[in-house]
Amino acid sequence: MSDLPPLSRRALLTSAATAAFAALPATGAHGRTPAASRTSARRATVAARTADGFAGVPALGLSGTTGGAGGPVVTVTDPDTFLDYCDRNEPYVIQVAGTLRISSKQGLRSNKTVVGLGTDAEITGGGLDMYRRQNVIIQNLRFTGADDDALSIQQSSHHIWIDHCTFSAGADGLIDIVRGADCVTVSWNHFHDHSKTMLIGHSDANGAQDRGKLRISFHHNFFDGTAQRHPRVRFGEPVHVYNNYYRNNTLYGVASTEDAGVLVEGNYFEDVPHPIYSGYDESGPGRVVERNNVYVRCGTPETLGTVIEPRTFYPYVLDAPADLPALVTAGAGAGRI
């Protein structure tokens, strides 16, 4: 079982996380404040929205996910400066302008907001790795052509919010959440031109580290022709998959394995031959409850057992599943906030 303290419903009702960024002057790589950075700070994509789902829940010493709020706002236009800020210990709001080409998986430390400016901010060639990190927001960015995972959240990292990003064409997973990570929300993202989209729990042999953790919310994501793992889950409970739009997913939608507990509700599945699996490949069956989903030209979903209700931890309101094709395609992905 988990050695982490349980999430507190009482704290949830009395405390709310804020994702608003501090209105502090932007600084350059060497502490200067160039005019271009000051202008960028004034027109920054500031998210008035608050982290919701599991990323917004008070737990593990945090009241929610606030990222770099309270730290300096900096604008970066080259990969070296970007990675320098990512590797600092202090809180920062790191605004990405244009395309940054990196390689491999680069470390991103705690208490950071990484947010794209405008509609064309992009990280290509590599990805970001959160290893024993906490309180991170990644927003309004395109991730393309990573030579490994685009985003890796691992080794007990917690309170991570991935929101309004676009992911495509990576060499491995687009998002991996593994090895005891916890309290993560993946919301309003667009996934396309890829096979293995999202893995929750890295192996069948890692139950000792993962049971009682890997509590994750997925909502309002657009799984657009991606083949599988939307997500594939081992051990985590509850994993809450709601109000997502699945279209033309050639292998399957959601797979619950190795006694994971997954609630799949209020989603829209279109032309998905296997919308929900319990067990997959060599992994044993997981528990999965489905309700209030729409299936258009799909196979029969598999269900098994019962799952801890996400409402035990946070409140939420479902959008009507029939509205999701229009709502999600209009709002998901980079450049939509």
Side-chain angles (χ1 to χ4, degrees):
M1 298 298 293
S2 169
D3 58 353
L4 298 179
L7 304 176
S8 167
R9 295 185 66 190
R10 186 161 66 100
L12 170 64
L13 297 175
T14 58
S15 174
T18 176
F21 304 149
L24 297 178
T27 58
H30 305 289
R32 296 186 293 271
T33 310
S37 293
R38 292 195 300 268
T39 302
S40 295
R42 288 195 294 270
R43 65 170 185 263
T45 304
V46 177
R49 297 167 57 244
T50 298
D52 57 7
F54 276 110
V57 168
L60 309 177
L62 295 180
S63 62
T65 303
T66 58
V73 179
V74 298
T75 299
V76 298
T77 59
D78 67 274
D80 288 342
T81 304
F82 171 65
L83 295 176
D84 173 55
Y85 280 117
C86 289
D87 196 41
R88 297 188 185 191
N89 289 319
E90 303 82 8
Y92 279 98
V93 175
I94 306 169
Q95 300 179 149
V96 175
T99 298
L100 305 183
R101 177 170 291 278
I102 62 176
S103 63
S104 188
K105 290 191 292 186
Q106 301 291 335
L108 177 61
R109 292 188 182 270
S110 301
N111 305 311
K112 300 292 186 294
T113 295
V114 181
V115 57
L117 290 177
T119 61
D120 62 350
E122 180 176 346
I123 294 175
T124 188
L128 299 177
D129 183 28
M130 284 145 277
Y131 185 101
R132 296 179 181 168
R133 305 306 181 197
Q134 62 187 29
N135 193 31
V136 174
I137 297 172
I138 299 176
Q139 241 175 3
N140 200 45
L141 283 163
R142 299 181 187 277
F143 290 86
T144 63
D147 56 10
D148 198 322
D149 300 326
L151 293 178
S152 177
I153 303 168
Q154 60 168 318
Q155 292 294 0
S156 300
S157 293
H158 63 91
H159 286 91
I160 313 293
W161 184 25
I162 313 302
D163 178 68
H164 278 96
C165 293
T166 298
F167 297 86
S168 65
D172 195 0
L174 294 178
I175 301 177
D176 278 10
I177 306 171
V178 298
R179 300 179 187 274
D182 206 4
C183 296
V184 178
T185 296
V186 180
S187 59
W188 292 100
N189 300 288
H190 182 194
F191 300 89
H192 66 92
D193 293 297
H194 193 77
S195 177
K196 297 177 179 180
T197 307
M198 285 188 291
L199 180 64
I200 313 304
H202 84 288
S203 75
D204 293 352
N206 205 50
Q209 185 180 23
D210 288 340
R211 284 190 180 93
K213 303 176 186 177
L214 299 177
R215 295 173 289 191
I216 306 165
S217 304
F218 298 93
H219 70 85
H220 294 92
N221 299 291
F222 182 19
F223 300 112
D224 181 12
T226 43
Q228 59 182 308
R229 299 186 180 181
H230 311 99
R232 174 176 173 169
V233 186
R234 296 177 174 101
F235 303 113
E237 183 181 14
V239 174
H240 191 196
V241 181
Y242 69 99
N243 273 170
N244 301 284
Y245 178 31
Y246 294 79
R247 185 175 73 184
N248 296 323
N249 310 116
T250 54
L251 292 181
Y252 65 86
V254 179
S256 177
T257 73
E258 296 299 323
D259 197 39
V262 182
L263 173 61
V264 182
E265 67 170 334
N267 301 282
Y268 193 105
F269 293 87
E270 181 180 345
D271 294 310
V272 182
H274 302 286
I276 303 172
Y277 273 136
S278 172
Y280 186 73
D281 195 18
E282 297 181 359
S283 298
R287 289 167 291 114
V288 57
V289 171
E290 74 86 27
R291 64 187 181 217
N292 197 32
N293 298 292
V294 172
Y295 302 98
V296 177
R297 298 181 298 275
C298 294
T300 302
E302 296 181 1
T303 61
L304 178 68
T306 61
V307 176
I308 296 171
E309 284 288 335
R311 291 191 196 279
T312 304
F313 304 103
Y314 58 83
Y316 62 95
V317 177
L318 290 174
D319 288 310
D323 295 340
L324 295 175
L327 180 67
V328 172
T329 55
R336 303 298 178 88
I337 57 173

